[in-house]
Amino acid sequence: MQEEKATNLKKEILSYIKIIVITAIIVLGCKQFLFTPIKVQGASMYPTYHDKDIIIVSKTSKIERFDQIIFQSPIEDEYYIKRVIGLPGDKVEMKDDVLYVNGKAYPENYVNRETDDPNQLRITENFTLEQLVDQQEVPKGMYFVLGDNRLKSSDSRHYGLIAEDAVLGESKLIVYPFSHFHLGSKE
């Protein structure tokens, strides 16, 4: 009877170990290949994201205009989150605080337009893609990105285009704090 109980206990422990190992493999596989959590640092994407928001990043999404992407910074050893404004082949221009992509004006309802400076005439300075990166259009395999908090964002205006292979993925949802919880969107 004692031996039978000991054998059953060993089987039960092995069963739990198998479940834990399989769960760990699935979680690590998902994190490596499908999605991962990231903590937002700084105010460059305010009001869309706040400092210390925790987001879930999809590593399998097809990147489209106005997606919020996470990528390896070209100037620091950390990840940045910015909004894709220009896709390969796009011509990008900002004129009088209006974004033009391929000659079409786009409203930017996501941009933080609050400022403490009453003399601040524009939130985003005028530019053309050619002025910033010496290219008439975004080259193949590259993205032009901007932060939503333009007055406090280091982005493609400062460090140039982002290589497709530097992109970790697209932000899909905010999971923490719970008061900020929402699914990602283009706006």
Side-chain angles (χ1 to χ4, degrees):
M1 186 80 169
Q2 284 289 18
E3 284 182 32
E4 189 177 316
K5 282 186 177 181
T7 303
N8 285 341
L9 182 61
K10 285 181 184 177
K11 286 181 180 178
E12 192 170 331
I13 290 172
L14 280 175
S15 175
Y16 285 124
I17 290 172
K18 286 179 186 175
I19 290 169
I20 291 169
V21 168
I22 290 170
T23 302
I25 289 170
I26 291 170
V27 167
L28 292 173
C30 287
K31 186 175 179 190
Q32 180 69 32
F33 300 108
L34 301 177
F35 57 85
T36 191
I38 295 280
K39 182 191 276 187
V40 174
Q41 296 182 8
S44 72
M45 285 296 288
Y46 178 82
T48 307
Y49 300 100
H50 297 84
D51 187 35
K52 297 185 177 47
D53 279 353
I54 297 179
I55 60 176
I56 299 297
V57 177
S58 168
K59 295 182 174 185
T60 59
S61 296
K62 180 180 183 290
I63 304 301
E64 297 176 355
R65 185 175 299 112
F66 304 121
D67 284 347
Q68 299 107 50
I69 61 169
I70 293 72
F71 56 91
Q72 178 66 50
S73 164
I75 57 174
E76 296 178 315
D77 189 25
E78 59 185 52
Y79 286 101
Y80 284 0
I81 181 169
K82 304 291 179 211
R83 189 176 298 272
V84 174
I85 301 299
L87 297 168
D90 284 347
K91 295 179 181 179
V92 179
E93 178 180 12
M94 183 68 69
K95 186 175 180 184
D96 297 327
D97 249 353
V98 177
L99 172 66
Y100 294 90
V101 180
N102 300 322
K104 179 182 176 189
Y106 285 89
E108 294 187 289
N109 300 329
Y110 47 79
V111 170
N112 178 28
R113 299 200 181 275
E114 297 174 11
T115 177
D116 294 333
D117 183 355
N119 297 321
Q120 184 77 40
L121 299 176
R122 293 189 181 102
I123 298 302
T124 312
E125 72 281 359
N126 290 340
F127 66 79
T128 64
L129 188 65
E130 190 167 12
Q131 291 169 327
L132 294 178
V133 298
D134 203 28
Q135 302 273 338
Q136 288 189 353
E137 59 185 45
V138 178
K140 184 177 180 183
M142 305 294 276
Y143 298 111
F144 182 83
V145 298
L146 294 174
D148 291 356
N149 195 1
R150 301 283 164 78
L151 296 174
K152 297 183 180 179
S153 178
S154 180
D155 47 42
S156 286
R157 296 171 295 169
H158 305 96
Y159 49 71
L161 301 166
I162 300 303
E164 191 175 274
D165 62 1
V167 175
L168 177 65
E170 176 192 1
S171 173
K172 285 297 190 181
L173 79 138
I174 298 174
V175 293
Y176 187 82
F178 301 120
S179 61
H180 295 176
F181 180 86
H182 73 79
L183 294 174
S185 68
K186 304 268 186 237
E187 301 214 12

